Amino acid sequence: MKKIAVFASGNGSNFQVIAEEFPVEFVFSDHRDAYVLERAKNLGVASYAFELKEFDNKTAYEEAIVKLLDEHQIDLVCLAGYMKIVGPSLLSAYEGRIINIHPAYLPEFPGAHGIEDAWNAGVAESGVTIHWVDSGVDTGMVIKQVRVPRLAGDTLDTFETRIHETEYKLYPEVLELLGVEKKEDG
Ligand code: GRF
């Protein structure tokens, strides 16, 4: 049985969707006041939170993360709105076992503002991508991606909502594809 951990920096709606269907060993947030921690509590999922600024440097911060992953014997790290670049310490320990969801059709619109950037570029369609994490920003090998149209009459809000709804379908699909078992009661 593959054990997964989810990393999220803020809201955690993707975490929620994942945790409703799959057993999540723990959630990690790099912000102690992130709403995802509230969601974890409500779902009975263990959580950890600490911040980069509490450590001497990013290496020490990531070593603390690796320790957690090792202790819990995590097979797959699912980034879902984790807003930090994965650095060498975490990557060297877990490369090939970290995936990320990006709210655009990579390699189109990488970076922190994939939805707004696609919207501002006036595209007819954007998408959602789940990919393996490498040392670049949203550059790793694509596992699965789907197109999301921009419809006549869309506002940034409705477009964004459609992207998020697509994310909520794609993450569970990819976890199944990677052999993560669903919850027994789910
Ligand atoms: C998602 O759109 C994800 O693709 C991006 O950050 C957002 C996180 O949303 N990387 P949430 O925290 O899961 O609600």
Side-chain angles (χ1 to χ4, degrees):
M1 170 115 158
K2 283 193 180 167
K3 284 168 124 188
I4 65 170
V6 178
F7 286 20
S9 297
N11 179 29
S13 62
N14 279 281
F15 157 72
Q16 171 116 19
V17 167
I18 294 169
E20 281 169 0
E21 274 193 63
F22 296 86
V24 174
E25 180 73 12
F26 69 83
V27 62
F28 169 72
S29 183
D30 59 325
H31 291 292
R32 289 183 181 273
D33 58 359
Y35 185 59
V36 69
L37 299 169
E38 200 63 37
R39 294 186 191 265
K41 203 161 131 196
N42 294 336
L43 286 160
V45 174
S47 66
Y48 298 93
F50 47 78
E51 306 201 2
L52 176 57
K53 65 182 183 212
E54 296 161 12
F55 293 80
D56 286 344
N57 50 48
K58 193 158 174 183
T59 301
Y61 161 79
E62 288 201 335
E63 279 170 0
I65 292 176
V66 169
K67 188 162 175 271
L68 275 180
L69 295 171
D70 288 348
E71 278 169 4
H72 285 268
Q73 300 186 300
I74 295 300
D75 297 296
L76 187 69
V77 178
C78 306
L79 308 185
Y82 177 66
M83 301 306 285
K84 281 196 171 52
I85 292 167
V86 173
S89 308
L90 177 52
L91 197 62
S92 62
Y94 276 84
E95 187 154 23
R97 293 183 283 173
I98 311 176
I99 63 176
N100 179 48
I101 188 160
H102 183 74
Y105 200 87
L106 293 172
E108 300 168 9
F109 308 109
H113 308 288
I115 301 175
E116 294 84 342
D117 290 348
W119 176 262
N120 291 331
V123 294
E125 54 181 10
S126 185
V128 173
T129 303
I130 295 183
H131 63 95
W132 294 105
V133 171
D134 66 9
S135 59
V137 176
D138 302 323
T139 52
M141 197 177 75
V142 171
I143 302 168
K144 193 163 185 186
Q145 57 187 168
V146 289
R147 282 291 184 186
V148 177
R150 171 176 174 160
L151 302 178
D154 257 354
T155 61
L156 175 57
D157 255 20
T158 57
F159 178 61
E160 189 163 350
T161 301
R162 190 171 317 108
I163 299 259
H164 290 311
E165 279 165 0
T166 307
E167 292 189 302
Y168 305 151
K169 288 192 206 122
L170 194 62
Y171 228 137
E173 269 178 47
V174 165
L175 293 181
E176 276 210 87
L177 194 72
L178 296 177
V180 179
E181 285 170 37
K182 288 194 171 182
K183 278 189 194 171
E184 273 165 25
D185 61 357

